[in-house]
């Protein structure tokens, strides 16, 4: 499945994926989202989960978390 990605304008870590060409879902305000390139989607291992959500709901919200920093004792 080809996907389009959007980034939240109020929360830079919030993402939404939708099926390519379908546009934003009707329940979101377009001014709250900006399109991203596919390379910026940062899906990695979660693509299968995202695709299953899109198949069920037509969209998928997800967050990009900062890298975890391990503390040294």
């Amino acid at each position: 499945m080809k996907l389009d990605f959007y980034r939240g304008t109020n929360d830079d870590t919030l993402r939404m994926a939708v099926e390519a060409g379908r546009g934003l879902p009707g329940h979101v305000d377009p001014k709250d989202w900006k399109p991203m390139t596919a390379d910026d989607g940062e899906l990695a291992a979660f693509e299968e989960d995202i695709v299953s959500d899109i198949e069920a709901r037509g969209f998928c919200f997800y967050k990009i978390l900062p890298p975890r920093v391990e503390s040294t004792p």
Side-chain angles (χ1 to χ4, degrees), residues 59-71:
F59 64 93
C60 178
F61 291 115
Y62 63 102
K63 284 188 104 72
I64 301 301
L65 301 175
R68 195 172 189 174
V69 177
E70 297 293 327
S71 60

Side-chain angles (χ1 to χ4, degrees), residues 4-7 16-19 21-35 58-59 61:
D4 287 336
F5 300 94
Y6 297 88
R7 175 181 306 200
M16 183 180 358
V18 297
E19 189 173 352
R22 299 210 31 129
L24 291 168
H27 71 280
V28 300
D29 189 339
K31 71 180 180 193
D32 293 334
W33 298 93
K34 65 181 180 179
F59 64 93
F61 291 115

Side-chain angles (χ1 to χ4, degrees), residues 1 3 17-19 50-60:
M1 172 183 290
L3 303 173
V18 297
E19 189 173 352
I50 288 172
V51 168
S52 67
D53 280 0
I54 292 170
E55 290 173 344
R57 297 183 188 94
F59 64 93
C60 178

